Amino acid sequence: MAATNPGETIDVLIYGPHKPKVIAGFPGRFTTHVFATRNDLERLSPEIAARIRGIAVTGLVQADRKMLEQFPKVEMIASFGVGYDHVDFRYAAEKGIIVTHTPEVLTEEVADTALGLLIATLRDFINADRFVRAGKWDTGSFPLSAGSLRDRTVGMVGMGRIGQAIARRLAASLVPVVYHSRNPAPGVTYKHYPDLMEMAKEVDTLVLITPGGASTEKMINAEVLKALGPRGVVVNVARGSVVDEPALIAALKEGTIQAAGLDVFAREPHVPEELRKLPNVVLLPHIASASVTTRDAMDMLVVDNLKAWFDGKPPLTPVPETPYKGH
Ligand code: NAP
Ligand code: 8YV
C-alpha cells in the first residue's frame, strides 16, 4: 500500500543502464540505490533490500522472480520501455506488485525508425553512404537498388499502438498494408489475417512490432520466410526473440528472402558474425526509440509512475496484467 507518512523516507532501487535523469527525478523524500547490473546488485545488503518499496528498471535488464524475491516490500516496478518481457509481471501480479511501462510517448519515434529502416533496407542507403565516403562516386555510379517501396505490400505483424503508427506512414506513402495479430484491432480497416502463414504467402514484406515473450517466440521461422519468397524483406523492430535468428541468417544467405532490417536481436548486444557479414542486411543497435527527446519522455514517465504511486495516486501507465484495484 502506498500511503506514506509526512517525513517518511521511501527507498527506491534504480536498476539497469545509468540514467541521470531518472536518478535526478527522486529528490527529497526518496532514498535511491543505484545498481547497473545483476552482478552489482549482489552488493546490495539484505537490510536495504528489505526497505525497497519502489523499483525503476531503466533498461532491458532481467527483473525476474529470483531478482524480485529479494525485495519483500516492493509495491511498484516502473519499467523503462513499452515492452516488458524482461519483467516477471506474473510473479508481480501474484504478489500484488504494480508493474508500469512507458507506452505512447515513444510510439511515433519507433514508427519513424521502422519506416526509415524499411526504406534504408530496400534502397540500400547504408551501402550508398559507404560508396560516397570511399570516394567511389568519382569513378562510377552506385548500382540501382534491387528493392523499392513502390512495388510492395506490407504485412504488419502486430497492429497495436506502434503498428498502427507504422501503418499510417505506409498508407501515406501509398503502400498497401495488411496485418496479422491474434485478434482484429478495434477500428482498424486494413485486412486482418488471423493466420500468419496465410498472410506471409500473400505479401512480400513483413514489419514486426509485437511484444516479445512466449506467445511470439520464433514466430518468424523458416516456413514463414519461405512463404514470403525471394523478394521477401523482414523488418524487425519488435524483439529479437520473435525471429528464429539462425533460420533468418540461412534465408538471407541462400536467397530464400531478399533482405532484412533489424533493430533487435536474439542475444543483445551480441549480433552473430554471420549476420554482420551479410551485405543484404541493415543492422541497428536497438535504437528505435533512442532520441534525446523520446528517451527523456520515457525517463520522466518511469519517475512519474513511482511518484504518483507514493503520492497515493493510481499508477499512470500500468501494464494490462497488473493487479491494481485502487489504493
Ligand atoms: P501494443 O499496443 O500492445 O501492440 C501489440 C500488438 O502485437 C497488438 O496488435 C497485439 O495484438 C499483437 N500481438 C501480441 N501478441 C501477439 C501474438 N502472440 N501473435 C500475434 N500478434 C500479437 O504494443 P506497442 O506499443 O505497439 O508495442 C509493441 C512492441 O514493440 C513492444 O512490446 C516491444 O516489444 C516493441 N518495441 C520495440 C522497440 C524498439 O526499440 N525496437 C520500441 C518500442 C516497442 P493481439 O493481442 O490481438 O495479438
Ligand atoms: C527501449 C524498447 O529501447 O520500449 C521498448 O520496448 O524496446 C525500447 O524503447 C528498451 O526498453 C531498451 O531499454
Side-chain angles (χ1 to χ4, degrees):
M1 196 13 98
T4 49
N5 303 318
E8 186 188 1
T9 295
I10 300 158
D11 287 82
V12 170
L13 173 74
I14 300 181
Y15 180 43
H18 183 65
K19 285 196 172 287
K21 286 175 183 157
V22 173
I23 298 170
F26 295 104
R29 66 199 171 116
F30 293 95
T31 303
T32 51
H33 308 272
V34 182
F35 291 87
T37 66
R38 192 62 163 257
N39 282 347
D40 291 348
L41 204 51
E42 281 172 15
R43 290 189 284 103
L44 180 70
S45 73
E47 293 72 33
I48 292 178
R51 295 207 306 264
I52 299 289
R53 293 177 60 193
I55 300 180
V57 179
T58 62
L60 297 178
V61 283
Q62 292 299 312
D64 53 23
R65 175 178 286 260
K66 188 157 180 273
M67 180 266 173
L68 294 173
E69 275 173 351
Q70 296 174 70
F71 306 103
K73 288 220 180 97
V74 71
E75 297 165 37
M76 173 179 277
I77 302 159
S79 183
F80 177 87
V82 66
Y84 50 95
D85 42 313
H86 54 293
V87 178
D88 190 340
F89 54 86
R90 290 186 190 87
Y91 169 83
E94 263 170 44
K95 298 287 174 189
I97 302 165
I98 306 295
V99 177
T100 66
H101 63 153
T102 62
E104 310 286 0
V105 292
L106 46 52
T107 293
E108 303 302 331
E109 192 80 72
V110 176
D112 291 344
T113 308
L115 191 65
L117 181 55
L118 173 60
I119 296 175
T121 304
L122 288 167
R123 298 296 323 287
D124 215 9
F125 281 170
I126 311 299
N127 288 324
D129 173 274
R130 290 188 186 122
F131 177 86
V132 175
R133 286 173 200 272
K136 292 185 180 170
W137 198 12
D138 295 335
T139 53
S141 302
F142 188 69
L144 303 183
S145 65
S148 167
L149 199 53
R150 290 305 103 217
D151 52 6
R152 291 196 163 255
T153 300
V154 172
M156 303 284 310
V157 182
M159 189 49 89
R161 289 169 290 246
I162 304 172
Q164 288 174 44
I166 298 170
R168 265 201 324 274
R169 284 159 174 73
L170 289 166
S173 302
L174 310 180
V175 177
V177 173
V178 298
Y179 73 103
H180 163 69
S181 55
R182 292 166 301 183
N183 311 294
V188 167
T189 54
Y190 310 109
K191 181 172 178 183
H192 176 242
Y193 285 85
D195 186 302
L196 173 60
M197 272 301 285
E198 288 309 309
M199 183 175 83
K201 285 179 200 159
E202 297 297 320
V203 303
D204 43 40
T205 309
L206 294 179
V207 174
L208 318 179
I209 188 69
T210 61
S215 84
T216 54
E217 173 108 34
K218 295 193 173 81
M219 72 194 292
I220 307 302
N221 56 24
E223 220 187 341
V224 171
L225 295 168
K226 190 159 181 243
L228 208 55
R231 294 182 73 250
V233 169
V234 174
V235 165
N236 189 5
V237 280
R239 285 287 181 267
S241 60
V242 176
V243 172
D244 179 340
E245 205 166 74
L248 176 66
I249 293 170
L252 287 161
K253 269 185 167 173
E254 291 157 15
T256 309
I257 65 166
Q258 184 176 314
L262 307 172
D263 183 49
V264 288
F265 302 88
R267 287 199 302 120
E268 294 173 13
H270 173 75
V271 176
E273 194 181 352
E274 268 185 297
L275 197 49
R276 287 188 276 123
K277 280 186 173 159
L278 290 174
N280 50 344
V281 291
V282 174
L283 308 173
L284 301 182
H286 201 147
I287 54 157
S289 66
S291 69
V292 172
T293 307
T294 294
R295 287 292 174 87
D296 280 357
M298 293 162 70
D299 284 350
M300 279 307 100
L301 193 47
V302 168
V303 170
D304 289 347
N305 266 294
L306 283 159
K307 283 186 162 168
W309 181 252
F310 290 111
D311 281 343
K313 296 177 189 154
L316 303 178
T317 47
V319 303
E321 299 85 353
T322 216
Y324 179 68
K325 299 213 169 39
H327 272 287

